[in-house]
Amino acid sequence: MKFLGQTLLIFFSLITLIALSIAVSYLLPYPFSKINIVFFFLIIVMMSRDSGLVVWISFFTHFFIELYSSTPFGLILFSGTISILIIFWLYKNIFTNRSWYSAMTLLFVVLLVYRLLYILILMVLRWLDLTTIILEKNILLIFGWEILLTCLLTGLFYFILSHFFKSFKASPIEHGLFRV
Amino acid sequence: MNSKIKTLLSITIVIALTVVFHFIGWLSPVEDFLHGLIKPGSQTLYGISVSMNDEDEEFFSNQEELEQAYQNLKTDLLKNKTDSAQLELLMQENEELKKQLNFLEKTNQASIGVNVIGKNTEPTGNTLVVDRGKVDSIRVGNIVITDEGALIGKVTSVEEHFSIVRLINDSQSKVAGTIINHEKSIGLVEGGYGISVHMNFIPQNETLEIGDSVVTSGLEVGIPRGLLIGKIEAIEKEAYQPFQKAVISPFVNLDKITLASIILTGTNLN
């Protein structure tokens, strides 16, 4: 019963996250509409729960997003899930410090990896003639705004949360960006 | 390190299987269920975003500006009435000529109204999500128009209960067009230029004027002739180039579409 309750809670949390992501994209003016709420949420959850479940949350969230996308199916799913997996490993082994600047760094790296994988796979699909999507000239500017604004939001949010919740606070031995 | 490689491989396999199941169609019930969950919220949010970004409001700082705008509108209205009358005459003449040539039109066109329930959240495309799909006989390639007969895009992907429409200003959109000028110049209307579209491959020697209307040429299968696309805002002409190009602003504000019609061709209804 407890497991069922937790599963339902996670499911409806995912729905809420998707709705929030859509709301930000539709309602906010450019460039704020480019804030990546999904990765913002995933990084916050990863740093508070220390659990690999975040990879599967990323999988299901990006599966939802694929339904509203005109890119070849699997592009967003693969890029999103693998980038979170990589950043989870980095968090567990290198960026072990739980602080607002660590959150910003992780967010920066995960979005960078996500968009690099995205562009790389798109280029491969174009080379294989499996898609005709052309990347517009201002795509790097759009990705830049996405990374900048999402990083700032994550850092600010984490900073505020760390003052109210213990799970977001770094212990004295964790002070320092890298694990020695 | 081995465990990391195993984890990466297992996740990649799960993703690959998901993609395969999607293309086979095994995930359709799940996708439809998820879409049904998100659809009410998405449609509401899209409707709010359309009403929020109302750029049609104009503000006048004094009475002279208002009077000038009114005079300009009167002039435009008169011109439109004249064009409409000429168009009517041309249509009558065309019908007569067709009858004289015993021209048989095989049209089996029906259309279906759709609601726009969302749009693409990724920056790599300009697409809309509509609430009709395979069960409503929608097929990939069907064209999408507004009630006034303006072309807004083509269906690019169809699921059971929803479809994705690629707008004419999407970078992958290409439509054969004709300019309503003396030479009836033809060219290719392409997107990927922001809110406007470009008409390329117009012969260099043909005369274009700013304000000329552009319609579909009918040279493409499945796209009838005469659907409105836009009007010419600027002309780019280089003396040493074989072709000239025109910058076209669509008649329809592609950011504010909430209702549309999809033209079902004969193959849809079989």
Side-chain angles (χ1 to χ4, degrees):
Chain A
M1 195 65 186
K2 189 180 172 188
F3 175 74
L4 181 65
Q6 280 179 342
T7 307
L8 281 173
L9 181 65
I10 292 172
F11 180 74
F12 285 112
S13 299
L14 283 178
I15 300 290
T16 307
L17 174 61
I18 295 296
L20 196 58
S21 173
I22 290 173
V24 165
S25 178
Y26 287 7
L27 299 179
L28 294 184
Y30 178 84
F32 300 100
S33 59
K34 301 303 168 193
I35 293 174
N36 198 317
I37 289 294
V38 173
F39 279 108
F40 158 74
F41 175 80
L42 289 172
I43 292 294
I44 297 292
V45 167
M46 184 178 73
M47 294 182 75
S48 68
R49 294 289 179 193
D50 259 1
S51 167
L53 182 65
V54 72
V55 177
W56 295 109
I57 295 175
S58 174
F59 174 84
F60 287 109
T61 313
H62 287 104
F63 179 78
F64 266 102
I65 293 173
E66 286 274 16
L67 300 179
Y68 278 80
S69 174
S70 58
T71 51
F73 187 88
L75 171 65
I76 293 171
L77 184 63
F78 182 82
S79 310
T81 310
I82 296 300
S83 57
I84 274 291
L85 177 66
I86 292 170
I87 217 64
F88 182 70
W89 287 335
L90 285 177
Y91 169 67
K92 294 299 278 182
N93 296 290
I94 300 176
F95 300 116
T96 55
N97 179 13
R98 286 212 296 267
S99 61
W100 62 270
Y101 45 86
S102 184
M104 284 180 71
T105 307
L106 285 167
L107 203 295
F108 176 80
V109 175
V110 77
L111 281 177
L112 197 64
V113 172
Y114 171 58
R115 288 303 181 191
L116 282 174
L117 276 175
Y118 186 99
I119 293 172
L120 187 66
I121 295 169
L122 207 52
M123 285 168 66
V124 169
L125 290 175
R126 268 190 64 86
W127 181 68
L128 294 171
D129 268 341
L130 293 174
T131 183
T132 53
I133 292 178
I134 301 165
L135 292 174
E136 293 180 15
K137 290 174 193 169
N138 65 344
I139 197 78
L140 292 178
L141 178 65
I142 293 172
F143 289 165
W145 276 118
E146 179 189 39
I147 293 172
L148 174 68
L149 292 173
T150 315
C151 275
L152 289 173
L153 180 69
T154 306
L156 180 66
F157 202 76
Y158 197 95
F159 179 77
I160 294 169
L161 284 176
S162 63
H163 281 79
F164 295 102
F165 298 100
K166 274 186 187 174
S167 58
F168 290 98
K169 284 183 183 169
S171 64
I173 59 170
E174 287 178 323
H175 282 180
L177 189 59
F178 297 98
R179 182 177 169 181
V180 177
Chain B
M1 191 57 145
N2 277 339
S3 67
K4 285 192 172 60
I5 293 173
K6 276 184 194 171
T7 308
L8 180 61
L9 271 174
S10 55
I11 289 176
T12 306
I13 288 168
V14 169
I15 293 172
L17 284 173
T18 307
V19 173
V20 167
F21 291 160
H22 166 81
F23 283 111
I24 290 173
W26 289 2
L27 287 179
S28 291
V30 175
E31 289 170 7
D32 282 340
F33 169 70
L34 295 175
H35 214 267
L37 272 180
I38 299 290
K39 177 185 160 185
S42 171
Q43 190 169 3
T44 306
L45 288 168
Y46 181 75
I48 293 170
S49 74
V50 165
S51 59
M52 269 172 61
N53 299 322
D54 192 346
E55 292 163 359
D56 288 339
E57 288 177 355
E58 268 191 79
F59 296 95
F60 304 101
S61 55
N62 55 46
Q63 189 175 336
E64 283 78 23
E65 271 186 33
L66 178 59
E67 282 177 5
Q68 183 61 42
Y70 173 68
Q71 292 301 331
N72 290 342
L73 279 173
K74 278 177 71 175
T75 308
D76 285 345
L77 179 62
L78 184 60
K79 185 175 181 302
N80 285 343
K81 281 183 179 174
T82 310
D83 289 345
S84 180
Q86 286 178 346
L87 183 62
E88 184 66 33
L89 283 171
L90 284 170
M91 281 171 64
Q92 286 172 4
E93 196 180 298
N94 192 28
E95 283 304 314
E96 285 301 320
L97 287 170
K98 279 182 184 174
K99 283 178 192 172
Q100 289 172 22
L101 288 169
N102 290 320
F103 183 78
L104 291 170
E105 269 189 69
K106 288 182 186 174
T107 55
N108 199 359
Q109 288 181 355
S111 66
I112 185 168
V114 297
N115 291 308
V116 177
I117 58 173
K119 61 181 178 180
N120 193 6
T121 53
E122 285 292 304
T124 49
N126 283 318
T127 57
L128 299 176
V129 184
V130 298
D131 63 350
R132 303 281 192 178
K134 283 181 191 167
V135 297
D136 305 292
S137 305
I138 307 293
R139 298 290 179 265
V140 172
N142 286 159
I143 57 165
V144 186
I145 61 173
T146 61
D147 287 341
E148 295 85 12
L151 177 72
I152 58 174
K154 276 189 209 174
V155 175
T156 184
S157 164
V158 185
E159 304 297 334
E160 286 298 313
H161 296 284
F162 68 94
S163 306
I164 293 181
V165 174
R166 178 174 294 127
L167 296 173
I168 55 172
N169 63 346
D170 184 272
S171 61
Q172 296 181 76
S173 172
K174 294 180 194 332
V175 177
T178 297
I179 300 174
I180 307 297
N181 60 354
H182 186 259
E183 290 104 337
K184 301 290 182 286
S185 309
I186 58 170
L188 190 64
V189 179
E190 297 178 295
Y193 302 94
I195 56 172
S196 63
V197 293
H198 285 197
M199 188 166 178
N200 299 318
F201 306 114
I202 305 168
Q204 176 74 249
N205 58 329
E206 295 183 359
T207 308
L208 313 180
E209 281 183 14
I210 289 174
D212 282 346
S213 296
V214 181
V215 299
T216 52
S217 63
L219 296 174
E220 277 181 80
V221 174
I223 303 183
R225 179 182 170 79
L227 295 175
L228 298 169
I229 296 177
K231 66 177 181 181
I232 295 178
E233 296 287 343
I235 300 162
E236 294 174 15
K237 196 171 180 173
E238 306 280 350
Y240 53 87
Q241 295 284 352
F243 299 106
Q244 57 183 317
K245 57 173 82 167
V247 177
I248 296 164
S249 68
F251 281 121
V252 178
N253 186 338
L254 297 171
D255 290 331
K256 294 176 70 175
I257 300 168
T258 53
L259 295 169
S261 296
I262 296 181
I263 294 183
L264 307 175
T265 59
T267 50
N268 289 73
L269 305 172
N270 292 336

